[in-house]
Amino acid sequence: MRRVITYGTFDMLHYGHINLLRRAKERGDYLIVGLSTDEFNWEAKHKKTYFSYEKRKQLLEAIRYVDLVIPEESWAQKSQDIILYQVDEFVMGDDWQGKFDYLADETGVEVTYLERTPEISTTQIKADLNDK
Ligand code: C2G
């Protein structure tokens, strides 16, 4: 079984997230999502999420492409996750192009960056709603 992993905040879930998750799943048989906790989001990304971790987890677990959701609590956990879950491929949107290449050296995992879906982002949604 080919295992794939990706990470993110996935706040205010939208079709850009779904496009990423669908393509990530297509690269294997089992997709793990490292979901940023509320604390990690704030401390590491200075992002306040609209939905709590539990709500964002509930939404992700309802997606047919997602097989397992684990908490993302630090930038440093990826290598141990990849080893622990015997992951074959690490996938991220290409806004992260190159940022996680080190994982291939550290764990031997295949690292893939997929094209982001244009025009849609949680930030854009919030901005559009404020203009209404
Ligand atoms: N994404 C996308 N197209 C969009 C928006 C997001 O393909 N229009 C992808 C991002 O590239 C990312 C995933 O969806 O791979 C989740 O996006 P975010 O929730 O914004 O995640 P991010 O804040 O980038 O956190 O350790 C990695 C971080 O947790 C990633």
Side-chain angles (χ1 to χ4, degrees):
M1 166 155 67
R2 185 169 176 79
R3 295 164 176 264
V4 181
I5 198 165
T6 190
Y7 292 80
T9 304
F10 296 99
D11 194 26
M12 293 169 73
L13 202 62
H14 55 67
Y15 63 90
H17 296 135
I18 300 299
N19 285 343
L20 188 285
L21 294 169
R22 173 178 46 73
R23 287 174 295 157
K25 181 58 176 284
E26 282 167 359
R27 303 193 64 89
D29 312 290
Y30 189 87
L31 177 61
I32 303 165
V33 179
L35 181 62
S36 309
T37 61
D38 298 335
E39 298 75 15
F40 178 66
N41 261 310
W42 181 243
E43 283 146 31
K45 303 188 225 175
H46 302 300
K47 271 183 175 178
K48 267 192 82 52
T49 55
Y50 182 76
F51 289 124
S52 68
Y53 173 81
E54 282 312 316
K55 295 276 188 304
R56 291 182 285 118
K57 183 171 188 277
Q58 185 185 355
L59 284 160
L60 280 178
E61 286 175 338
I63 298 170
R64 72 174 73 174
Y65 310 124
V66 176
D67 295 289
L68 176 66
V69 178
I70 62 172
E72 179 186 31
E73 298 168 293
S74 78
W75 293 114
Q77 73 181 72
K78 293 183 176 68
S79 285
Q80 65 200 50
D81 289 345
I82 286 163
I83 292 161
L84 177 67
Y85 291 99
Q86 299 172 305
V87 172
D88 301 288
E89 185 165 352
F90 170 92
V91 173
M92 283 303 289
D94 62 7
D95 46 319
W96 293 92
Q97 185 73 41
K99 297 285 192 307
F100 298 112
D101 293 353
Y102 71 89
L103 292 171
D105 305 327
E106 282 188 6
T107 68
V109 73
E110 184 178 344
V111 176
T112 304
Y113 301 98
L114 299 174
E115 195 179 332
R116 263 178 83 90
T117 302
E119 290 115 37
I120 182 76
S121 70
T122 306
T123 311
Q124 188 62 51
I125 294 169
K126 288 178 181 172
D128 291 351
L129 288 173
N130 284 334
D131 292 349
K132 293 267 184 277

